[in-house]
Amino acid sequence: GWVQLVHSYKVMGDGAKPMTLGGAGSNTYTRLTSITGAQDGSVQTVVSLEKTGTATAISGNILLGISSVQDSSSTTPQQEILILNNSNIAAGTYSTNQIADTSVITFQGGNGYDAGVFRLNNQSETIGGVQSASTGDGLIQNNATATGSSTLTLNTASGTNYTFSGLVQDHDNSSPSAAGKLAISVTGSGTQTFANANTYTGGTTIGDGAGSTASFYANNVGTGGSATGTGPLTLNTGAT
């Protein structure tokens, strides 16, 4: 099916099973999609994007995670999770354009058990950028159990400047056996900053080699850390 809304769209899960945005028709609303769950942190929300063909599930910007960390010592997952293809729809059927290329994801809730989490699940996706609402907010992961790789392309628009200070990693710390790797590509003509020591291993590519003037900055990484993880770094002509 498809969704067409005038106002923003807020998703709150029941913690029991993912909410799925599927079907062959694109959702055409362009207002904010908020995946924020219960603000007391008592309910986990999981949203799986499973459009088929060339359809788009989310066409506007995304707010992911509760507004503040509720219990930093909790060992019960309270994360708000946006995942690609949780049902593992076959390649060729699953749409590779689940989120609009211009959409920006804003993360809330720290980077622990209350975090907003974007899991690519061995799929690749292009969006307009990622940013943290507060220092340390957000987790970006592949987290697939099967061997494979995901590339998150951040296609920043001219004049934009986004800072993500959460963690970018191959898999969640609670899933050490997950085999999928994550790569980052920064394209477009805006600026994307990573401001934390990241651990993803799939590599980082700045610019597309076809006229992109994208800029990537590493900030506040700390001694011995790397904003670009542990994989190779490729800087194409025109990018900085």
Side-chain angles (χ1 to χ4, degrees):
W2 55 275
V3 178
Q4 184 176 21
L5 297 176
V6 176
H7 300 292
S8 60
Y9 182 41
K10 183 173 183 177
V11 181
M12 290 181 61
D14 62 6
K17 60 181 181 180
M19 174 182 177
T20 300
L21 299 181
S26 290
N27 296 331
T28 58
Y29 70 96
T30 58
R31 297 292 184 94
L32 180 69
T33 296
S34 298
I35 306 172
T36 53
Q39 291 305 301
D40 63 0
S42 62
V43 178
Q44 182 180 51
T45 301
V46 180
V47 178
S48 180
L49 305 185
E50 301 182 11
K51 289 292 184 180
T52 58
T54 59
T56 299
I58 298 178
S59 298
N61 292 335
I62 300 168
L63 179 63
L64 183 58
I66 60 177
S67 59
S68 61
V69 177
Q70 302 298 319
D71 184 3
S72 60
S73 64
S74 173
T75 57
T76 301
Q78 300 165 329
Q79 297 167 331
E80 315 307 322
I81 300 172
L82 179 63
I83 186 170
L84 302 181
N85 197 15
N86 190 60
S87 298
N88 294 316
I89 298 171
T93 300
Y94 174 80
S95 173
T96 58
N97 189 38
Q98 298 290 330
I99 304 173
D101 292 356
T102 55
S103 297
V104 175
I105 301 180
T106 301
F107 293 81
Q108 299 184 135
N111 54 50
Y113 280 100
D114 291 300
V117 185
F118 183 33
R119 289 182 175 161
L120 282 84
N121 192 32
N122 276 349
Q123 308 297 326
S124 293
E125 186 67 49
T126 297
I127 59 176
V130 290
Q131 61 185 354
S132 301
S134 299
T135 301
D137 285 351
L139 291 171
I140 300 174
Q141 310 165 339
N142 181 329
N143 213 53
T145 56
T147 300
S149 62
S150 296
T151 298
L152 176 61
T153 298
L154 304 171
N155 187 38
T156 55
S158 177
T160 60
N161 190 334
Y162 302 110
T163 297
F164 179 77
S165 57
L167 294 175
V168 187
Q169 51 193 182
D170 287 341
H171 56 77
D172 194 81
N173 292 338
S174 63
S175 304
S177 62
K181 294 184 177 182
L182 178 63
I184 297 293
S185 176
V186 181
T187 61
S189 52
T191 301
Q192 177 70 60
T193 298
F194 282 176
N196 208 334
N198 296 311
T199 59
Y200 65 99
T201 64
T204 306
T205 302
I206 315 299
D208 59 8
S212 169
T213 56
S215 296
F216 177 84
Y217 290 95
N219 187 32
N220 294 328
V221 174
T223 303
S226 171
T228 56
T230 61
L233 174 62
T234 302
L235 179 65
N236 285 314
T237 302
T240 56

